[in-house]
Amino acid sequence: MQTTGIPLVIGNWKMNPLTESAAVTLAKEVLTISKKAKHARVVVVPPALYIPAVSKVARTTVLGLGVQHVVPGPVGAVTGEISGAMAQPYGITYAIVGHSEQRALGVTDEQVAATVAMLIKIGITPVICVGERERDSRADFYSLIASQIKTALAAIPKTKYKQIVIAYEPIWAIGTGKTATPADVQEMRLFINKVITDLAGRPAAKAVTVLYGGSVTKDNALSLWQEGQVDGFLVGGASLKGEDFATIIASTK
Ligand code: PGA
């Protein structure tokens, strides 16, 4: 089920670290790691304020750079936000869209869809986060995931599906130390494939990169990789520790 593409491991730094110089130090450490990890594509996603500084480290290297949250732009009266078009000149090639921490602040499925459409238009890869708050015994969460995916992709031509990354991030697993089991992850991967196959056919579904995120650690990454059948990971907390992140990247070999 894993796509034939190379594994993708994204470090979402969230609102960390406290200073720009610590961000640059971490970026340099991850750059060293990613130079050694030739089998995988490694991406860091710092807070927007640090993008210019981290960009100087990552530019013209193997290390990819992403942005945590953007709104459709390119410009406008939207206090506190930035657009993908503003981030792009800094070498941004990925943008996280609809992270549950942003959805909790009010980002809707419709905003996710508009942002995804804008990103595809300008050539930035959207990393679309989907995930349930909890797992109900009737498994209704599957329809929630299907609806999140269908809405997010509504405005995207099928020919562009190969530029899409979907990150399955169950909210109950984010930053909690509770991880979905490799079997849960594999089941969800198959389900996501089915949703996309229904939308756009099998080849389109095969082209979409699917990641798992939610308390991925150096200790569980290998089994999630081997059994979960995903194409990589979206890592929060553990991406702030170089050694742990290196182990997670190595597990995707
Ligand atoms: P976590 O975060 O690895 O700290 O659980 C993952 C995420 O929110 O992307």
Side-chain angles (χ1 to χ4, degrees), residues 12 14 96 99-101 129 169 173-177 213-216 234-238:
N12 172 13
K14 307 192 178 185
I96 297 175
H99 190 281
S100 61
E101 287 154 14
C129 297
E169 294 214 311
I174 295 176
T176 57
S215 296
V216 176
L234 178 54
V235 187

Side-chain angles (χ1 to χ4, degrees), residues 189-251:
R189 206 265 139 83
L190 293 172
F191 179 73
I192 290 171
N193 264 63
K194 187 184 168 321
V195 171
I196 301 171
T197 304
D198 290 349
L199 273 181
R202 205 177 271 263
K206 271 188 114 173
V208 175
T209 301
V210 179
L211 309 181
Y212 170 74
S215 296
V216 176
T217 66
K218 63 178 175 30
D219 300 317
N220 62 24
L222 188 61
S223 61
L224 285 166
W225 174 254
Q226 288 176 338
E227 296 166 51
Q229 295 289 301
V230 279
D231 305 309
F233 297 121
L234 178 54
V235 187
S239 73
L240 299 169
K241 297 177 215 136
E243 263 182 46
D244 288 17
F245 197 45
T247 307
I248 292 168
I249 296 162
S251 73

Side-chain angles (χ1 to χ4, degrees), residues 130-135 141 144-145 168-172 188:
V130 298
E132 75 281 2
R133 186 159 299 285
E134 56 190 10
R135 290 202 154 202
F141 61 90
L144 171 87
I145 305 291
Y168 170 55
E169 294 214 311
I171 297 170
W172 50 267
M188 189 54 80

